[in-house]
Amino acid sequence: MNLHEVSFVSLGPGDPELITLKGLNTLRRADVIYCPATLTSSGKQLSRSADILRALDVDEQHIQYFIVPMSKDRAAAMEAYEKLSTEAAASYAAGKLIAIVAEGDAGFYSSVHYVFEQLLAQGIAVQQVAGIPAFIASGALAGLHIVSQEERLMVIPGNTTAQELSDWLDAGLVVVIMKLSQCREAVKQCMAQYNDHTFHYFENVGTPREVYIRATKELIEKEFPYFSLMIIKKTM
């Protein structure tokens, strides 16, 4: 492994113990750790990634935050990633060991792949350190065998419709929906239609605020926050 490279380190879904040993060792070697954060409407800075880093006793002096605007308009977020790419490239040119962290797995529905691609295009050495995606941790929380034998799995983001979900469930697929808040009504329509399936709902997995619900009546009335996902599986 080339030590002088930009490492995209997967932190796992929230539980600090779910980082890999390779990920932790990469963070311990890093001179600079770029960490995503968001700002509330009152200007308070929040970062779930930073919470994980603190629990891992990572030296705060090595952490540099980059603010990612939380908006459906991706233009502002792309500007933030462009700025991060420029800063990371400059740190790399200065000979520093760099880690850019991401929750879950850095290569699975992670926006930092934009930065990965931009650095790679500049001829900068990069690597991804694999991690545990949130739906795998969710399955473990619920004691689920997510797929078995010849079952097939469909993992999708929340920009889906009730018709798409119905087609996949009718085809016998196990469906995982990430970014669940984007398709609340479509999911609830399917809940009413598919009483032979179990809708396993999760939010904030791996944190002290984690929630697991599979009672359909309770879910019908529930709001789905940003950090939520669902595993839909035919009831055995």
Side-chain angles (χ1 to χ4, degrees):
M1 181 179 65
N2 176 17
L3 289 180
H4 186 209
E5 59 195 348
V6 179
S7 299
F8 289 75
V9 178
S10 305
L11 298 178
D15 182 348
E17 293 186 340
L18 291 182
I19 192 172
T20 65
L21 184 58
K22 181 175 182 179
L24 182 58
N25 286 336
T26 302
L27 293 176
R28 287 172 173 169
R29 286 194 301 264
D31 300 310
V32 182
I33 301 171
Y34 291 102
C35 177
T38 59
L39 294 178
T40 66
S41 57
S42 63
K44 182 181 179 181
Q45 181 172 296
L46 300 176
S47 175
R48 285 165 54 112
S49 294
D51 292 340
I52 297 172
L53 294 177
R54 292 188 191 100
L56 294 171
D57 292 326
V58 171
D59 189 342
E60 294 248 7
Q61 294 183 346
H62 293 171
I63 300 175
Q64 292 190 26
Y65 295 97
F66 61 95
I67 303 299
V68 181
M70 297 299 290
S71 171
K72 291 183 179 180
D73 179 2
R74 299 300 295 163
M78 293 307 296
E79 287 181 12
Y81 294 128
E82 289 279 357
K83 181 180 179 182
L84 173 59
S85 299
T86 300
E87 292 182 5
S91 295
Y92 176 85
K96 295 180 178 179
L97 296 180
I98 304 158
I100 299 174
V101 299
E103 291 178 63
D105 181 273
F108 190 83
Y109 288 129
S110 176
S111 298
V112 294
H113 77 86
Y114 298 118
V115 182
F116 184 97
E117 292 169 355
Q118 289 170 7
L119 296 179
L120 189 62
Q122 297 175 53
I124 293 175
V126 293
Q127 71 157 340
Q128 280 186 186
V129 179
I132 298 174
F135 79 92
I136 294 295
S138 297
L141 170 64
L144 288 177
H145 196 162
I146 298 176
V147 285
S148 59
Q149 297 182 344
E150 296 182 357
E151 284 185 313
R152 296 185 178 185
L153 179 68
M154 173 71 74
V155 183
I156 59 170
N159 57 341
T160 189
T161 64
Q163 184 60 58
E164 285 181 326
L165 289 175
S166 294
D167 290 343
W168 292 322
L169 296 178
D170 289 342
L173 300 180
V174 177
V175 177
V176 172
I177 309 174
M178 312 290 288
K179 306 179 188 298
L180 187 64
S181 58
Q182 298 178 18
C183 60
R184 178 175 180 267
E185 295 309 316
V187 168
K188 293 186 178 183
Q189 184 175 330
C190 285
M191 285 183 196
Q193 181 180 353
Y194 289 88
N195 55 18
D196 59 342
H197 283 67
T198 302
F199 292 77
H200 299 272
Y201 170 87
F202 307 88
E203 65 182 61
N204 293 308
V205 172
T207 76
R209 303 189 309 279
E210 72 181 8
V211 173
Y212 168 48
I213 302 172
R214 63 176 184 178
T216 303
K217 289 183 180 179
E218 186 175 351
L219 289 177
I220 289 293
E221 303 300 325
K222 185 171 178 55
E223 294 292 333
F224 298 159
Y226 181 80
F227 291 107
S228 62
L229 66 89
M230 180 170 282
I231 300 173
I232 308 174
K233 187 176 173 70
K234 192 164 187 177
T235 307
M236 302 301 291

